[in-house]
C-alpha cells in the first residue's frame, strides 16, 4: 500500500485506537510494582504514542502532499517507467509520455470539455537532468477552433520537498483555470506542473550549483525547449511564466529576474527572497560570495539593472514570515520591472492560504502571457 493510500491512513487509525483500548484494558493488570509490569506499561505507552504520531503524520502528509511515496519519504527515488515514446516536428522530441489522466471537473472525461493532464518525462540536453512533469492542456487545446493556434504556458512549482501531484490534487490549479476560463477571466494556458526538486533529495533552490546539479539551466533552457517542441506552445519569453509556492515562489521570481529571455512573468505565493542554508541545500554557492549575492533578490534590486518583467508577490499581515521582506521587495522594484501584490489580513504558510490566492494569481498570470 502506498504512503498516500487511504487504506494506510485507515490502518494507522485502527492500530492507534486498538492500542489505546488495549492500554485501558490491561492497565489494571499492569499496576503491580514488579519489573514485568513496569516494562509492560512503558511498552504500551510508547506503542500508543508512536501509533498516534504515525496517524497524525500520515494525515498531514495526505493533506499537504509533502511526500508521494515510501521511496520519496526515505530519499530513495525510483526511475520512472516509460509507457511510450514518439516524435513530432522536423527533428522530433525526446520528451517521453508516461501516461494521461482526466481532470476532475464536469465532463472531465472529454478533453475538449475538461482538458487533459499528461504525465511526461523531461530530459535536459544541457543540464543532463531528467525529471517528471504533469502537463495540463486546457479544453481549447483540443477544440477545432484552436487547432492551429499556439498557447502560452506557465511552469507551476511546489515548495520543498513537495509533490507535483499536490498541484492538481490539493491546490487545484487545473480546476481553478477551468473555472476562470468558463468565466472568461483569463486566456487558456498550458500548465507544466512540477516540483523544484529535480535532483532529489537535494534542495537546489533552482540554482546551477558549482560542480553540482544544473537546475536553473534545466528550467530556463531544457524544459522550455522540450515542452515547446512537443506541444503547441509559444517559444518566446512573452509566452512563458512561472508560479510557485514557498520555495517554488522564490524560484519563480529568481528565474524570471535572472532570465527575462526565458520567462516574462512570475508569481510567488509566500515566496522567500534568498536561498536558505541548511542540511537539505548543502553549499549552493561553492564559496562564491558574488554568486550568493546575485541569488539574493533584494540585493539584485538594489545593485543590478531591473529586467522588463511582470512580478506578483503574496503575503499575509499575520501568519507569514515574509511580510516585511515582501513590502521591501515591492518598494525596491524599479522600472521597467512591474510589480503587483496580494496581501491577506491573515493566513499561514499552507495550502489553505494558497488556495485563497491562486484564483486571482492565476488570472493575473494568464492575462500577462501571450502566445
Amino acid at each position: 500500500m502506498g504512503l498516500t493510500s487511504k487504506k494506510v491512513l485507515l490502518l494507522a487509525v485502527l492500530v492507534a485506537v486498538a492500542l489505546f483500548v488495549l492500554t485501558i484494558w490491561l492497565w489494571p493488570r499492569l499496576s503491580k510494582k514488579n519489573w514485568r509490569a513496569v516494562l509492560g506499561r512503558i511498552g504500551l505507552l510508547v506503542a500508543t504514542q508512536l501509533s498516534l504520531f504515525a496517524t497524525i503524520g500520515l494525515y498531514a502528509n495526505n493533506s499537504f502532499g509533502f511526500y508521494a511515496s515510501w521511496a520519496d519519504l526515505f530519499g530513495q527515488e525510483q526511475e520512472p517507467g516509460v509507457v511510450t515514446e514518439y516524435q513530432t516536428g522536423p527533428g522530433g522530441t525526446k520528451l517521453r509520455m508516461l501516461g494521461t489522466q482526466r481532470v476532475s471537473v464536469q465532463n472531465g472525461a472529454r478533453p475538449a470539455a475538461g482538458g487533459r493532464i499528461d504525465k511526461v518525462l523531461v530530459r535536459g540536453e544541457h543540464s543532463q537532468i531528467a525529471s517528471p512533469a504533469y502537463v495540463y492542456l486546457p479544453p481549447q487545446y483540443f477544440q477545432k477552433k484552436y487547432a492551429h493556434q499556439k498557447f502560452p504556458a506557465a511552469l507551476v512549482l511546489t515548495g520543498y520537498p513537495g509533490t507535483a501531484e499536490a498541484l492538481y490534487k490539493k491546490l487545484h490549479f487545473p480546476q481553478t483555470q477551468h473555472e476562470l476560463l468558463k468565466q472568461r477571466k483569463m486566456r487558456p494556458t498550458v500548465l507544466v506542473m512540477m516540483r523544484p526538486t529535480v535532483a532529489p533529495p537535494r534542495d537546489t533552490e533552482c540554482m546551477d550549483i558549482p560542480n553540482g546539479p544544473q537546475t536553473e539551466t534545466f528550467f530556463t533552457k531544457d524544459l522550455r525547449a522540450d515542452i515547446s517542441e512537443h506541444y503547441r506552445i509559444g517559444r518566446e519569453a512573452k509566452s512563458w511564466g512561472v508560479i510557485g509556492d514557498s520555495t517554488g515562489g522564490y524560484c519563480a521570481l529568481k528565474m524570471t529576474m535572472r532570465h527575462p529571455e526565458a520567462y516574462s512573468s512570475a508569481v510567488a505565493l509566500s515566496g522567500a527572497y534568498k536561498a536558505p542554508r541548511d542540511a537539505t541545500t548543502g553549499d549552493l554557492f561553492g564559496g562564491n560570495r558574488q554568486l550568493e549575492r546575485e541569488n539574493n533578490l533584494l540585493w539584485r534590486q538594489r545593485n543590478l539593472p531591473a529586467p522588463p518583467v511582470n512580478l506578483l508577490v503574496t503575503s499575509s499581515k499575520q501568519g507569514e514570515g515574509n511580510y516585511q521582506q515582501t513590502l521591501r521587495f515591492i518598494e525596491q522594484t524599479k522600472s521597467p520591472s512591474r510589480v503587483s501584490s496580494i496581501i491577506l489580513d491573515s493566513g499561514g504558510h499552507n495550502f489553505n492560504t494558497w488556495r485563497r490566492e491562486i484564483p486571482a494569481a492565476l488570472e493575473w498570470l494568464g492575462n500577462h502571457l501571450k502566445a
Side-chain angles (χ1 to χ4, degrees):
M1 292 184 288
L3 177 64
T4 59
S5 169
K6 291 182 179 179
K7 293 181 180 179
V8 171
L9 179 58
L10 179 60
L11 180 61
V13 171
L14 292 175
V15 170
V17 171
L19 285 171
F20 177 77
V21 172
L22 187 63
T23 300
I24 299 297
W25 181 261
L26 294 178
W27 199 259
R29 301 183 187 182
L30 298 174
S31 60
K32 300 177 182 180
K33 296 183 179 180
N34 60 60
W35 65 270
R36 289 190 179 89
V38 172
L39 288 178
R41 292 198 297 270
I42 293 174
L44 281 174
L45 288 173
V46 170
T48 302
Q49 291 294 322
L50 288 176
S51 66
L52 286 172
F53 283 131
T55 301
I56 294 170
L58 287 168
Y59 176 78
N61 186 67
N62 286 0
S63 298
F64 296 101
F66 298 122
Y67 299 97
S69 65
W70 297 108
D72 189 21
L73 174 64
F74 294 109
Q76 298 174 336
E77 291 283 324
Q78 296 181 356
E79 289 294 324
V82 176
V83 174
T84 184
E85 180 178 359
Y86 53 89
Q87 294 184 335
T88 61
T93 176
K94 295 301 182 181
L95 182 142
R96 288 187 174 187
M97 291 292 298
L98 305 179
T100 63
Q101 57 186 284
R102 57 169 291 175
V103 184
S104 57
V105 296
Q106 187 176 8
N107 297 321
R110 293 177 50 242
R116 190 181 75 197
I117 296 176
D118 290 353
K119 184 176 182 180
V120 301
L121 180 67
V122 182
R123 298 180 295 181
E125 178 183 354
H126 299 91
S127 63
Q128 299 301 303
I129 289 174
S131 184
Y134 291 90
V135 180
Y136 167 67
L137 304 170
Q140 289 78 3
Y141 192 91
F142 303 96
Q143 297 171 5
K144 291 183 179 180
K145 179 181 177 181
Y146 300 88
H148 302 289
Q149 181 172 317
K150 288 189 176 182
F151 291 78
L155 172 62
V156 187
L157 295 174
T158 68
Y160 176 85
T163 64
E165 292 89 344
L167 294 168
Y168 62 89
K169 291 183 178 180
K170 304 295 183 181
L171 291 176
H172 306 144
F173 272 93
Q175 297 88 332
T176 301
Q177 184 185 164
H178 187 267
E179 188 62 30
L180 291 172
L181 290 175
K182 286 170 58 179
Q183 300 172 14
R184 298 185 178 181
K185 290 186 175 181
M186 67 175 289
R187 299 184 183 94
T189 303
V190 174
L191 304 180
V192 184
M193 298 175 285
M194 301 185 68
R195 58 194 297 193
T197 314
V198 295
R202 188 173 188 182
D203 176 12
T204 62
E205 295 289 316
C206 300
M207 272 199 57
D208 280 353
I209 300 175
N211 301 314
Q214 303 296 288
T215 311
E216 191 170 24
T217 295
F218 174 83
F219 281 125
T220 58
K221 291 184 179 179
D222 294 334
L223 174 76
R224 294 174 64 257
D226 212 0
I227 294 292
S228 296
E229 185 177 351
H230 187 80
Y231 295 102
R232 301 197 313 274
I233 294 174
R235 294 176 179 268
E236 298 180 17
K238 67 179 182 180
S239 299
W240 280 86
V242 198
I243 179 171
D245 63 76
S246 192
T247 299
Y250 166 67
C251 290
L253 291 176
K254 182 181 70 170
M255 292 192 296
T256 301
M257 294 172 70
R258 285 172 55 84
H259 296 277
E261 79 287 353
Y263 297 105
S264 62
S265 302
V267 178
L269 306 174
S270 306
Y273 298 95
K274 66 177 182 179
R277 283 193 177 191
D278 55 34
T280 64
T281 62
D283 182 7
L284 295 173
F285 310 104
N288 188 327
R289 290 286 296 169
Q290 182 61 24
L291 182 61
E292 183 174 359
R293 285 191 290 264
E294 289 176 1
N295 281 271
N296 183 321
L297 305 186
L298 295 173
W299 184 92
R300 290 188 68 87
Q301 287 182 315
R302 293 191 301 268
N303 296 279
L304 297 177
V309 294
N310 307 300
L311 308 171
L312 172 64
V313 292
T314 80
S315 188
S316 303
K317 295 178 183 178
Q318 293 183 349
E320 280 285 10
N322 75 337
Y323 177 59
Q324 292 300 329
Q325 286 189 321
T326 297
L327 296 182
R328 194 179 313 155
F329 182 86
I330 295 170
E331 182 182 353
Q332 290 185 176
T333 301
K334 297 175 293 188
S335 180
S337 293
R338 289 174 290 184
V339 67
S340 304
S341 70
I342 299 173
I343 305 295
L344 302 178
D345 287 333
S346 64
H349 198 79
N350 55 52
F351 280 13
N352 183 60
T353 297
W354 300 329
R355 278 193 291 261
R356 295 162 59 196
E357 298 167 338
I358 286 171
L362 200 54
E363 179 181 347
W364 179 92
L365 181 61
N367 288 323
H368 276 85
L369 302 179
K370 299 178 182 179

